[in-house]
mmCIF file with all atom_site columns, all heavy atoms in Angstrom:
data_model
loop_
_atom_site.group_PDB
_atom_site.id
_atom_site.type_symbol
_atom_site.label_atom_id
_atom_site.label_alt_id
_atom_site.label_comp_id
_atom_site.label_asym_id
_atom_site.label_entity_id
_atom_site.label_seq_id
_atom_site.pdbx_PDB_ins_code
_atom_site.Cartn_x
_atom_site.Cartn_y
_atom_site.Cartn_z
_atom_site.occupancy
_atom_site.B_iso_or_equiv
_atom_site.pdbx_formal_charge
_atom_site.auth_seq_id
_atom_site.auth_comp_id
_atom_site.auth_asym_id
_atom_site.auth_atom_id
_atom_site.pdbx_PDB_model_num
ATOM 1   N N   . GLY F 1 1  ? -58.744 48.526 -10.810 1.00 94.00 ? 23 GLY F N   1
ATOM 2   C CA  . GLY F 1 1  ? -59.259 49.900 -10.374 1.00 94.00 ? 23 GLY F CA  1
ATOM 3   C C   . GLY F 1 1  ? -58.237 50.907 -10.328 1.00 94.00 ? 23 GLY F C   1
ATOM 4   O O   . GLY F 1 1  ? -57.022 50.663 -10.546 1.00 94.00 ? 23 GLY F O   1
ATOM 5   N N   . GLU F 1 2  ? -58.721 52.107 -10.077 1.00 96.00 ? 24 GLU F N   1
ATOM 6   C CA  . GLU F 1 2  ? -57.761 53.197 -9.944  1.00 96.00 ? 24 GLU F CA  1
ATOM 7   C C   . GLU F 1 2  ? -56.985 53.141 -8.684  1.00 96.00 ? 24 GLU F C   1
ATOM 8   O O   . GLU F 1 2  ? -57.346 52.482 -7.749  1.00 96.00 ? 24 GLU F O   1
ATOM 9   C CB  . GLU F 1 2  ? -58.522 54.564 -10.029 1.00 96.00 ? 24 GLU F CB  1
ATOM 10  C CG  . GLU F 1 2  ? -59.393 54.759 -8.916  1.00 96.00 ? 24 GLU F CG  1
ATOM 11  C CD  . GLU F 1 2  ? -60.298 56.057 -9.087  1.00 96.00 ? 24 GLU F CD  1
ATOM 12  O OE1 . GLU F 1 2  ? -60.524 56.363 -10.148 1.00 96.00 ? 24 GLU F OE1 1
ATOM 13  O OE2 . GLU F 1 2  ? -60.538 56.715 -8.028  1.00 96.00 ? 24 GLU F OE2 1
ATOM 14  N N   . THR F 1 3  ? -55.808 53.699 -8.652  1.00 97.00 ? 25 THR F N   1
ATOM 15  C CA  . THR F 1 3  ? -54.905 53.738 -7.353  1.00 97.00 ? 25 THR F CA  1
ATOM 16  C C   . THR F 1 3  ? -55.728 54.488 -6.333  1.00 97.00 ? 25 THR F C   1
ATOM 17  O O   . THR F 1 3  ? -56.246 55.588 -6.484  1.00 97.00 ? 25 THR F O   1
ATOM 18  C CB  . THR F 1 3  ? -53.610 54.429 -7.691  1.00 97.00 ? 25 THR F CB  1
ATOM 19  O OG1 . THR F 1 3  ? -52.904 53.722 -8.676  1.00 97.00 ? 25 THR F OG1 1
ATOM 20  C CG2 . THR F 1 3  ? -52.739 54.469 -6.358  1.00 97.00 ? 25 THR F CG2 1
ATOM 21  N N   . GLY F 1 4  ? -55.819 53.912 -5.190  1.00 96.00 ? 26 GLY F N   1
ATOM 22  C CA  . GLY F 1 4  ? -56.637 54.415 -3.971  1.00 96.00 ? 26 GLY F CA  1
ATOM 23  C C   . GLY F 1 4  ? -57.898 53.765 -3.853  1.00 96.00 ? 26 GLY F C   1
ATOM 24  O O   . GLY F 1 4  ? -58.586 53.908 -2.779  1.00 96.00 ? 26 GLY F O   1
ATOM 25  N N   . ALA F 1 5  ? -58.425 53.069 -4.842  1.00 98.00 ? 27 ALA F N   1
ATOM 26  C CA  . ALA F 1 5  ? -59.633 52.191 -4.760  1.00 98.00 ? 27 ALA F CA  1
ATOM 27  C C   . ALA F 1 5  ? -59.253 50.835 -4.278  1.00 98.00 ? 27 ALA F C   1
ATOM 28  O O   . ALA F 1 5  ? -58.152 50.495 -4.120  1.00 98.00 ? 27 ALA F O   1
ATOM 29  C CB  . ALA F 1 5  ? -60.336 52.226 -6.133  1.00 98.00 ? 27 ALA F CB  1
ATOM 30  N N   . GLU F 1 6  ? -60.361 50.006 -4.109  1.00 98.00 ? 28 GLU F N   1
ATOM 31  C CA  . GLU F 1 6  ? -60.120 48.815 -3.526  1.00 98.00 ? 28 GLU F CA  1
ATOM 32  C C   . GLU F 1 6  ? -60.740 47.728 -4.473  1.00 98.00 ? 28 GLU F C   1
ATOM 33  O O   . GLU F 1 6  ? -61.895 47.756 -4.853  1.00 98.00 ? 28 GLU F O   1
ATOM 34  C CB  . GLU F 1 6  ? -60.767 48.607 -2.168  1.00 98.00 ? 28 GLU F CB  1
ATOM 35  C CG  . GLU F 1 6  ? -60.109 49.532 -1.150  1.00 98.00 ? 28 GLU F CG  1
ATOM 36  C CD  . GLU F 1 6  ? -60.955 49.619 0.094   1.00 98.00 ? 28 GLU F CD  1
ATOM 37  O OE1 . GLU F 1 6  ? -62.226 50.032 -0.095  1.00 98.00 ? 28 GLU F OE1 1
ATOM 38  O OE2 . GLU F 1 6  ? -60.575 49.614 1.256   1.00 98.00 ? 28 GLU F OE2 1
ATOM 39  N N   . SER F 1 7  ? -59.940 46.730 -4.929  1.00 98.00 ? 29 SER F N   1
ATOM 40  C CA  . SER F 1 7  ? -60.398 45.639 -5.735  1.00 98.00 ? 29 SER F CA  1
ATOM 41  C C   . SER F 1 7  ? -60.056 44.315 -4.992  1.00 98.00 ? 29 SER F C   1
ATOM 42  O O   . SER F 1 7  ? -59.210 44.281 -4.189  1.00 98.00 ? 29 SER F O   1
ATOM 43  C CB  . SER F 1 7  ? -59.755 45.600 -7.090  1.00 98.00 ? 29 SER F CB  1
ATOM 44  O OG  . SER F 1 7  ? -59.859 46.856 -7.770  1.00 98.00 ? 29 SER F OG  1
ATOM 45  N N   . SER F 1 8  ? -60.939 43.387 -5.187  1.00 98.00 ? 30 SER F N   1
ATOM 46  C CA  . SER F 1 8  ? -60.791 42.083 -4.480  1.00 98.00 ? 30 SER F CA  1
ATOM 47  C C   . SER F 1 8  ? -61.265 40.947 -5.335  1.00 98.00 ? 30 SER F C   1
ATOM 48  O O   . SER F 1 8  ? -62.378 41.091 -6.143  1.00 98.00 ? 30 SER F O   1
ATOM 49  C CB  . SER F 1 8  ? -61.522 42.104 -3.191  1.00 98.00 ? 30 SER F CB  1
ATOM 50  O OG  . SER F 1 8  ? -61.346 40.849 -2.508  1.00 98.00 ? 30 SER F OG  1
ATOM 51  N N   . PRO F 1 9  ? -60.653 39.760 -5.333  1.00 98.00 ? 31 PRO F N   1
ATOM 52  C CA  . PRO F 1 9  ? -61.119 38.632 -6.063  1.00 98.00 ? 31 PRO F CA  1
ATOM 53  C C   . PRO F 1 9  ? -62.227 37.820 -5.123  1.00 98.00 ? 31 PRO F C   1
ATOM 54  O O   . PRO F 1 9  ? -62.074 37.812 -4.031  1.00 98.00 ? 31 PRO F O   1
ATOM 55  C CB  . PRO F 1 9  ? -59.897 37.750 -6.245  1.00 98.00 ? 31 PRO F CB  1
ATOM 56  C CG  . PRO F 1 9  ? -59.134 38.025 -5.070  1.00 98.00 ? 31 PRO F CG  1
ATOM 57  C CD  . PRO F 1 9  ? -59.376 39.415 -4.716  1.00 98.00 ? 31 PRO F CD  1
ATOM 58  N N   . THR F 1 10 ? -63.107 37.214 -5.832  1.00 97.00 ? 32 THR F N   1
ATOM 59  C CA  . THR F 1 10 ? -64.142 36.358 -5.206  1.00 97.00 ? 32 THR F CA  1
ATOM 60  C C   . THR F 1 10 ? -64.091 34.984 -5.527  1.00 97.00 ? 32 THR F C   1
ATOM 61  O O   . THR F 1 10 ? -64.045 34.050 -4.666  1.00 97.00 ? 32 THR F O   1
ATOM 62  C CB  . THR F 1 10 ? -65.565 37.028 -5.533  1.00 97.00 ? 32 THR F CB  1
ATOM 63  O OG1 . THR F 1 10 ? -65.688 38.286 -5.064  1.00 97.00 ? 32 THR F OG1 1
ATOM 64  C CG2 . THR F 1 10 ? -66.634 36.172 -4.821  1.00 97.00 ? 32 THR F CG2 1
ATOM 65  N N   . GLU F 1 11 ? -64.027 34.698 -6.850  1.00 97.00 ? 33 GLU F N   1
ATOM 66  C CA  . GLU F 1 11 ? -64.005 33.238 -7.184  1.00 97.00 ? 33 GLU F CA  1
ATOM 67  C C   . GLU F 1 11 ? -63.616 33.078 -8.703  1.00 97.00 ? 33 GLU F C   1
ATOM 68  O O   . GLU F 1 11 ? -63.896 34.010 -9.621  1.00 97.00 ? 33 GLU F O   1
ATOM 69  C CB  . GLU F 1 11 ? -65.466 32.732 -7.037  1.00 97.00 ? 33 GLU F CB  1
ATOM 70  C CG  . GLU F 1 11 ? -65.551 31.124 -7.264  1.00 97.00 ? 33 GLU F CG  1
ATOM 71  C CD  . GLU F 1 11 ? -66.861 30.590 -7.120  1.00 97.00 ? 33 GLU F CD  1
ATOM 72  O OE1 . GLU F 1 11 ? -67.909 31.306 -7.480  1.00 97.00 ? 33 GLU F OE1 1
ATOM 73  O OE2 . GLU F 1 11 ? -67.102 29.466 -6.632  1.00 97.00 ? 33 GLU F OE2 1
ATOM 74  N N   . PHE F 1 12 ? -62.855 32.047 -8.942  1.00 97.00 ? 34 PHE F N   1
ATOM 75  C CA  . PHE F 1 12 ? -62.531 31.676 -10.315 1.00 97.00 ? 34 PHE F CA  1
ATOM 76  C C   . PHE F 1 12 ? -63.856 31.058 -11.026 1.00 97.00 ? 34 PHE F C   1
ATOM 77  O O   . PHE F 1 12 ? -64.661 30.393 -10.217 1.00 97.00 ? 34 PHE F O   1
ATOM 78  C CB  . PHE F 1 12 ? -61.423 30.625 -10.469 1.00 97.00 ? 34 PHE F CB  1
ATOM 79  C CG  . PHE F 1 12 ? -60.036 31.219 -10.321 1.00 97.00 ? 34 PHE F CG  1
ATOM 80  C CD1 . PHE F 1 12 ? -59.486 31.198 -9.096  1.00 97.00 ? 34 PHE F CD1 1
ATOM 81  C CD2 . PHE F 1 12 ? -59.374 31.673 -11.475 1.00 97.00 ? 34 PHE F CD2 1
ATOM 82  C CE1 . PHE F 1 12 ? -58.176 31.760 -8.961  1.00 97.00 ? 34 PHE F CE1 1
ATOM 83  C CE2 . PHE F 1 12 ? -58.165 32.259 -11.367 1.00 97.00 ? 34 PHE F CE2 1
ATOM 84  C CZ  . PHE F 1 12 ? -57.500 32.232 -10.058 1.00 97.00 ? 34 PHE F CZ  1
ATOM 85  N N   . SER F 1 13 ? -64.089 31.206 -12.281 1.00 96.00 ? 35 SER F N   1
ATOM 86  C CA  . SER F 1 13 ? -65.180 30.559 -12.923 1.00 96.00 ? 35 SER F CA  1
ATOM 87  C C   . SER F 1 13 ? -64.956 29.022 -13.001 1.00 96.00 ? 35 SER F C   1
ATOM 88  O O   . SER F 1 13 ? -63.856 28.619 -12.791 1.00 96.00 ? 35 SER F O   1
ATOM 89  C CB  . SER F 1 13 ? -65.438 31.189 -14.308 1.00 96.00 ? 35 SER F CB  1
ATOM 90  O OG  . SER F 1 13 ? -64.137 30.853 -15.095 1.00 96.00 ? 35 SER F OG  1
ATOM 91  N N   . PRO F 1 14 ? -66.054 28.261 -13.248 1.00 95.00 ? 36 PRO F N   1
ATOM 92  C CA  . PRO F 1 14 ? -65.869 26.848 -13.339 1.00 95.00 ? 36 PRO F CA  1
ATOM 93  C C   . PRO F 1 14 ? -64.763 26.325 -14.202 1.00 95.00 ? 36 PRO F C   1
ATOM 94  O O   . PRO F 1 14 ? -64.117 25.429 -13.955 1.00 95.00 ? 36 PRO F O   1
ATOM 95  C CB  . PRO F 1 14 ? -67.232 26.329 -13.684 1.00 95.00 ? 36 PRO F CB  1
ATOM 96  C CG  . PRO F 1 14 ? -68.174 27.484 -13.227 1.00 95.00 ? 36 PRO F CG  1
ATOM 97  C CD  . PRO F 1 14 ? -67.404 28.727 -13.405 1.00 95.00 ? 36 PRO F CD  1
ATOM 98  N N   . GLU F 1 15 ? -64.653 27.011 -15.405 1.00 95.00 ? 37 GLU F N   1
ATOM 99  C CA  . GLU F 1 15 ? -63.625 26.650 -16.320 1.00 95.00 ? 37 GLU F CA  1
ATOM 100 C C   . GLU F 1 15 ? -62.222 27.207 -16.033 1.00 95.00 ? 37 GLU F C   1
ATOM 101 O O   . GLU F 1 15 ? -61.204 26.897 -16.612 1.00 95.00 ? 37 GLU F O   1
ATOM 102 C CB  . GLU F 1 15 ? -64.034 26.909 -17.769 1.00 95.00 ? 37 GLU F CB  1
ATOM 103 C CG  . GLU F 1 15 ? -63.697 28.395 -18.250 1.00 95.00 ? 37 GLU F CG  1
ATOM 104 C CD  . GLU F 1 15 ? -64.756 29.471 -17.614 1.00 95.00 ? 37 GLU F CD  1
ATOM 105 O OE1 . GLU F 1 15 ? -65.681 28.921 -17.002 1.00 95.00 ? 37 GLU F OE1 1
ATOM 106 O OE2 . GLU F 1 15 ? -64.547 30.639 -17.808 1.00 95.00 ? 37 GLU F OE2 1
ATOM 107 N N   . GLY F 1 16 ? -62.158 28.234 -15.056 1.00 96.00 ? 38 GLY F N   1
ATOM 108 C CA  . GLY F 1 16 ? -60.907 28.703 -14.518 1.00 96.00 ? 38 GLY F CA  1
ATOM 109 C C   . GLY F 1 16 ? -60.322 29.872 -15.427 1.00 96.00 ? 38 GLY F C   1
ATOM 110 O O   . GLY F 1 16 ? -59.339 30.377 -15.052 1.00 96.00 ? 38 GLY F O   1
ATOM 111 N N   . GLU F 1 17 ? -61.035 30.344 -16.421 1.00 97.00 ? 39 GLU F N   1
ATOM 112 C CA  . GLU F 1 17 ? -60.605 31.424 -17.308 1.00 97.00 ? 39 GLU F CA  1
ATOM 113 C C   . GLU F 1 17 ? -61.034 32.810 -17.010 1.00 97.00 ? 39 GLU F C   1
ATOM 114 O O   . GLU F 1 17 ? -60.709 33.710 -17.693 1.00 97.00 ? 39 GLU F O   1
ATOM 115 C CB  . GLU F 1 17 ? -60.739 30.911 -18.752 1.00 97.00 ? 39 GLU F CB  1
ATOM 116 C CG  . GLU F 1 17 ? -60.006 29.722 -19.249 1.00 97.00 ? 39 GLU F CG  1
ATOM 117 C CD  . GLU F 1 17 ? -58.595 29.748 -19.005 1.00 97.00 ? 39 GLU F CD  1
ATOM 118 O OE1 . GLU F 1 17 ? -57.952 30.881 -19.116 1.00 97.00 ? 39 GLU F OE1 1
ATOM 119 O OE2 . GLU F 1 17 ? -57.953 28.674 -18.672 1.00 97.00 ? 39 GLU F OE2 1
ATOM 120 N N   . ARG F 1 18 ? -61.995 32.836 -16.101 1.00 97.00 ? 40 ARG F N   1
ATOM 121 C CA  . ARG F 1 18 ? -62.564 34.197 -15.712 1.00 97.00 ? 40 ARG F CA  1
ATOM 122 C C   . ARG F 1 18 ? -62.409 34.343 -14.095 1.00 97.00 ? 40 ARG F C   1
ATOM 123 O O   . ARG F 1 18 ? -62.427 33.232 -13.502 1.00 97.00 ? 40 ARG F O   1
ATOM 124 C CB  . ARG F 1 18 ? -63.997 34.325 -16.141 1.00 97.00 ? 40 ARG F CB  1
ATOM 125 C CG  . ARG F 1 18 ? -64.234 34.282 -17.744 1.00 97.00 ? 40 ARG F CG  1
ATOM 126 C CD  . ARG F 1 18 ? -65.708 34.206 -18.037 1.00 97.00 ? 40 ARG F CD  1
ATOM 127 N NE  . ARG F 1 18 ? -66.250 32.987 -17.651 1.00 97.00 ? 40 ARG F NE  1
ATOM 128 C CZ  . ARG F 1 18 ? -67.544 32.761 -17.395 1.00 97.00 ? 40 ARG F CZ  1
ATOM 129 N NH1 . ARG F 1 18 ? -68.430 33.786 -17.583 1.00 97.00 ? 40 ARG F NH1 1
ATOM 130 N NH2 . ARG F 1 18 ? -67.987 31.575 -16.889 1.00 97.00 ? 40 ARG F NH2 1
ATOM 131 N N   . LEU F 1 19 ? -62.481 35.568 -13.848 1.00 98.00 ? 41 LEU F N   1
ATOM 132 C CA  . LEU F 1 19 ? -62.255 35.742 -12.359 1.00 98.00 ? 41 LEU F CA  1
ATOM 133 C C   . LEU F 1 19 ? -63.442 36.770 -11.918 1.00 98.00 ? 41 LEU F C   1
ATOM 134 O O   . LEU F 1 19 ? -63.509 37.841 -12.430 1.00 98.00 ? 41 LEU F O   1
ATOM 135 C CB  . LEU F 1 19 ? -60.940 36.447 -12.000 1.00 98.00 ? 41 LEU F CB  1
ATOM 136 C CG  . LEU F 1 19 ? -60.599 36.577 -10.579 1.00 98.00 ? 41 LEU F CG  1
ATOM 137 C CD1 . LEU F 1 19 ? -60.385 35.126 -9.967  1.00 98.00 ? 41 LEU F CD1 1
ATOM 138 C CD2 . LEU F 1 19 ? -59.231 37.292 -10.482 1.00 98.00 ? 41 LEU F CD2 1
ATOM 139 N N   . LEU F 1 20 ? -64.181 36.372 -10.934 1.00 97.00 ? 42 LEU F N   1
ATOM 140 C CA  . LEU F 1 20 ? -65.258 37.238 -10.288 1.00 97.00 ? 42 LEU F CA  1
ATOM 141 C C   . LEU F 1 20 ? -64.572 38.229 -9.402  1.00 97.00 ? 42 LEU F C   1
ATOM 142 O O   . LEU F 1 20 ? -63.807 37.847 -8.448  1.00 97.00 ? 42 LEU F O   1
ATOM 143 C CB  . LEU F 1 20 ? -66.225 36.408 -9.582  1.00 97.00 ? 42 LEU F CB  1
ATOM 144 C CG  . LEU F 1 20 ? -67.495 37.082 -9.057  1.00 97.00 ? 42 LEU F CG  1
ATOM 145 C CD1 . LEU F 1 20 ? -68.411 37.793 -10.253 1.00 97.00 ? 42 LEU F CD1 1
ATOM 146 C CD2 . LEU F 1 20 ? -68.440 36.077 -8.351  1.00 97.00 ? 42 LEU F CD2 1
ATOM 147 N N   . VAL F 1 21 ? -64.804 39.481 -9.511  1.00 98.00 ? 43 VAL F N   1
ATOM 148 C CA  . VAL F 1 21 ? -64.061 40.569 -8.754  1.00 98.00 ? 43 VAL F CA  1
ATOM 149 C C   . VAL F 1 21 ? -64.987 41.626 -8.338  1.00 98.00 ? 43 VAL F C   1
ATOM 150 O O   . VAL F 1 21 ? -66.210 41.714 -8.802  1.00 98.00 ? 43 VAL F O   1
ATOM 151 C CB  . VAL F 1 21 ? -62.880 41.167 -9.440  1.00 98.00 ? 43 VAL F CB  1
ATOM 152 C CG1 . VAL F 1 21 ? -61.841 40.195 -9.914  1.00 98.00 ? 43 VAL F CG1 1
ATOM 153 C CG2 . VAL F 1 21 ? -63.457 41.838 -10.795 1.00 98.00 ? 43 VAL F CG2 1
ATOM 154 N N   . SER F 1 22 ? -64.582 42.363 -7.306  1.00 98.00 ? 44 SER F N   1
ATOM 155 C CA  . SER F 1 22 ? -65.354 43.585 -6.986  1.00 98.00 ? 44 SER F CA  1
ATOM 156 C C   . SER F 1 22 ? -64.350 44.746 -6.979  1.00 98.00 ? 44 SER F C   1
ATOM 157 O O   . SER F 1 22 ? -63.155 44.607 -6.905  1.00 98.00 ? 44 SER F O   1
ATOM 158 C CB  . SER F 1 22 ? -65.899 43.442 -5.537  1.00 98.00 ? 44 SER F CB  1
ATOM 159 O OG  . SER F 1 22 ? -64.821 43.325 -4.584  1.00 98.00 ? 44 SER F OG  1
ATOM 160 N N   . ASP F 1 23 ? -64.939 45.956 -7.170  1.00 98.00 ? 45 ASP F N   1
ATOM 161 C CA  . ASP F 1 23 ? -64.137 47.140 -7.143  1.00 98.00 ? 45 ASP F CA  1
ATOM 162 C C   . ASP F 1 23 ? -64.991 48.366 -6.892  1.00 98.00 ? 45 ASP F C   1
ATOM 163 O O   . ASP F 1 23 ? -66.119 48.367 -7.193  1.00 98.00 ? 45 ASP F O   1
ATOM 164 C CB  . ASP F 1 23 ? -63.532 47.268 -8.554  1.00 98.00 ? 45 ASP F CB  1
ATOM 165 C CG  . ASP F 1 23 ? -62.814 48.691 -8.769  1.00 98.00 ? 45 ASP F CG  1
ATOM 166 O OD1 . ASP F 1 23 ? -61.681 48.750 -8.151  1.00 98.00 ? 45 ASP F OD1 1
ATOM 167 O OD2 . ASP F 1 23 ? -63.266 49.550 -9.443  1.00 98.00 ? 45 ASP F OD2 1
ATOM 168 N N   . ASN F 1 24 ? -64.318 49.460 -6.182  1.00 98.00 ? 46 ASN F N   1
ATOM 169 C CA  . ASN F 1 24 ? -65.140 50.571 -5.846  1.00 98.00 ? 46 ASN F CA  1
ATOM 170 C C   . ASN F 1 24 ? -64.528 51.854 -6.358  1.00 98.00 ? 46 ASN F C   1
ATOM 171 O O   . ASN F 1 24 ? -64.697 52.968 -5.774  1.00 98.00 ? 46 ASN F O   1
ATOM 172 C CB  . ASN F 1 24 ? -65.233 50.687 -4.257  1.00 98.00 ? 46 ASN F CB  1
ATOM 173 C CG  . ASN F 1 24 ? -63.965 50.805 -3.571  1.00 98.00 ? 46 ASN F CG  1
ATOM 174 O OD1 . ASN F 1 24 ? -62.908 50.951 -4.178  1.00 98.00 ? 46 ASN F OD1 1
ATOM 175 N ND2 . ASN F 1 24 ? -64.059 50.720 -2.258  1.00 98.00 ? 46 ASN F ND2 1
#
């Protein structure tokens, strides 16, 4: 995300090559 916003990880995908994230 842009500086000043908030991003967070939630979970790796089952195969481990993708990352579920949130961002505002």
